[in-house]
Amino acid sequence: MIERIIIIDRADPQSFYGVNNSNMQLIKNLHPKLRITARGSVMKVIGEESETAAFEKTIRDLEDYCATFNKLTEDAILSITRGCEPQEIKGDEAIIYGINGKPIQARTPHQRDLVKAFSANDLVFALGPAGTGKTYIAIALAVRALKNKEVRKIILSRPAVEAGEKLGFLPGDMKDKIDPYLQPLYDALEDMIPAAKLKEYMETKVIQIAPLAFMRGRTLSDAVIVLDEAQNTTTHQIKMFLTRLGMNAKMVITGDVTQIDLPRTQCSGLIRALSVLRKVEGVGRVEFDKKDIVRAKLVQRIVEAYEAYDRDHKEPTEPDVADADAAAPQ
């Protein structure tokens, strides 16, 4: 008889053990010849060497499944223990699996274009109206790269610019002051990573969420970096951000040039960057439109109504992307 210790470090313990340890109880029932105890991320098993070795392989397969799908079902436990492939693993186009195994995948042609552009380029601009899933898909791609150990960290940022309101001084420490601006990024992460694992990633700085001003002086290597709401950057800010890109790193910049909250005297850095980098190798560009809106159907109708109003009233606005490209020196 030998004792074997197995460390569960890739899967979320709560998802792995199940509600009220139901998964752990099933695993014990399927291995009646072994004495199995589990506490936190440490599992101990006592039995014959060949049986404990086979048990460890089964646990590793279960851990891989749980880390991939963010869930561990009774059917999956039974299939893997019997040496079969669980049905859910076959033929799925999901980027990753979110909380409770919810598949997160590209749902529109331009979302699929963003997935392809991310694979083919180190820097990708994702442009389009609200609700098209630009940021959500970008963060899903970043989480997939982290899970696949292609990178060691994820860095998410956005400029701290108020959307037409003066909020004044916010209470609390620095984190409390900047969190309201970064909440959309937290919302996406909470859909994709179990709460305990996300907390661990945040505490160990594997996932970092910071305002754009905190990027100066850094070199961001072995990371996926996402800049959200880039239309609200100044020319100097986005240039500073772009030059942070280090080795083995990818950058996704999302923005909507129709929703610029900068003072009218300032030019959007996103528009300038699109013009300057339009012919640079390794830079991808995906443009979403109102057909890609995946929020409530009403959002698409709202976007269309504002587009029609702007055409009819010819209000002065920031120059659009096409104008910036045409005006750039050839």
Side-chain angles (χ1 to χ4, degrees):
M1 304 286 282
I2 68 165
E3 179 181 270
R4 192 180 293 265
I5 296 177
I6 305 169
I7 306 297
I8 307 297
D9 58 357
R10 292 188 59 233
D12 173 58
Q14 185 174 351
S15 301
F16 186 85
Y17 292 129
V19 178
N20 296 324
N21 284 329
S22 57
N23 291 343
M24 197 66 242
Q25 191 58 52
L26 176 59
I27 291 169
K28 289 180 179 180
N29 292 341
L30 292 170
H31 299 85
K33 295 181 180 180
L34 301 175
R35 289 170 52 196
I36 304 165
T37 59
R39 177 170 293 180
S41 60
V42 179
M43 186 180 297
K44 294 181 181 179
V45 56
I46 299 174
E48 297 296 331
E49 183 172 0
S50 60
E51 292 179 348
T52 59
F55 177 78
E56 181 173 8
K57 182 182 183 306
T58 298
I59 293 299
R60 292 302 177 204
D61 291 342
L62 291 171
E63 183 184 15
D64 289 343
Y65 180 94
C66 188
T68 299
F69 292 92
N70 270 329
K71 67 174 181 176
L72 188 57
T73 62
E74 180 179 326
D75 288 342
I77 293 171
L78 292 171
S79 297
I80 291 173
T81 302
R82 293 165 181 165
C84 304
E85 183 177 338
Q87 184 66 35
E88 291 145 299
I89 291 179
K90 299 177 181 178
D92 203 302
E93 297 181 355
I95 299 171
I96 56 169
Y97 289 83
I99 301 302
N100 298 322
K102 172 189 172 184
I104 295 172
Q105 60 192 65
R107 295 167 57 185
T108 71
H110 288 128
Q111 288 184 359
R112 288 189 282 274
D113 289 343
L114 178 55
V115 174
K116 293 175 184 176
F118 181 83
S119 298
N121 300 280
D122 290 337
L123 170 61
V124 179
F125 289 95
L127 315 168
T132 52
K134 308 180 298 297
T135 303
Y136 199 77
I137 294 297
I139 294 177
L141 291 167
V143 172
R144 182 181 70 179
L146 181 65
K147 282 192 169 188
N148 292 344
K149 298 186 177 179
E150 297 167 10
V151 297
R152 292 190 294 109
K153 57 192 172 190
I154 296 172
I155 299 169
L156 308 175
S157 185
R158 64 182 342 207
V161 176
E162 297 159 350
E165 297 180 77
K166 297 299 181 185
L167 303 180
F169 292 104
L170 296 173
D173 59 18
M174 179 59 71
K175 184 178 185 300
D176 294 330
K177 293 177 187 296
I178 64 177
D179 273 359
Y181 298 103
L182 306 175
Q183 192 58 47
L185 306 181
Y186 287 112
D187 292 343
L189 287 171
E190 288 167 358
D191 267 2
M192 302 176 194
I193 302 175
K197 196 68 176 178
L198 178 57
K199 182 180 179 182
E200 176 190 330
Y201 281 153
M202 301 288 284
E203 289 175 349
T204 58
K205 298 193 181 300
V206 171
I207 295 179
Q208 303 172 31
I209 303 181
L212 184 58
F214 287 15
M215 294 294 113
R216 185 171 296 280
R218 301 182 65 182
T219 299
L220 308 176
S221 301
D222 294 311
V224 176
I225 310 110
V226 179
L227 174 60
D228 191 31
E229 300 288 349
Q231 76 276 4
N232 288 329
T233 61
T234 66
T235 301
H236 294 298
Q237 283 177 327
I238 201 164
K239 180 181 177 183
M240 176 274 292
F241 184 81
L242 290 168
T243 53
R244 301 305 96 199
L245 191 65
M247 300 298 293
N248 188 39
K250 285 181 177 282
M251 189 176 280
V252 182
I253 296 179
T254 71
D256 177 4
V257 295
T258 68
Q259 293 193 21
I260 297 172
D261 299 314
L262 294 170
R264 286 188 174 273
T265 55
Q266 285 186 313
C267 175
S268 168
L270 175 60
I271 292 176
R272 178 70 59 84
L274 289 167
S275 176
V276 171
L277 302 178
R278 69 193 188 285
K279 293 182 180 179
V280 174
E281 185 178 354
V283 177
R285 176 165 158 174
V286 179
E287 295 192 29
F288 293 74
D289 56 38
K290 57 180 177 287
K291 294 179 182 177
D292 295 297
I293 292 175
V294 291
R295 290 182 187 164
K297 290 293 183 183
L298 179 58
V299 175
Q300 181 173 338
R301 295 197 291 271
I302 290 170
V303 171
E304 291 172 347
Y306 270 94
E307 287 179 351
Y309 181 90
D310 288 342
R311 284 196 303 269
D312 293 343
H313 291 75
K314 303 291 183 184
E315 290 184 346
T317 60
E318 288 276 359
D320 61 21
V321 175
D323 294 338
D325 283 351
Q330 301 298 316

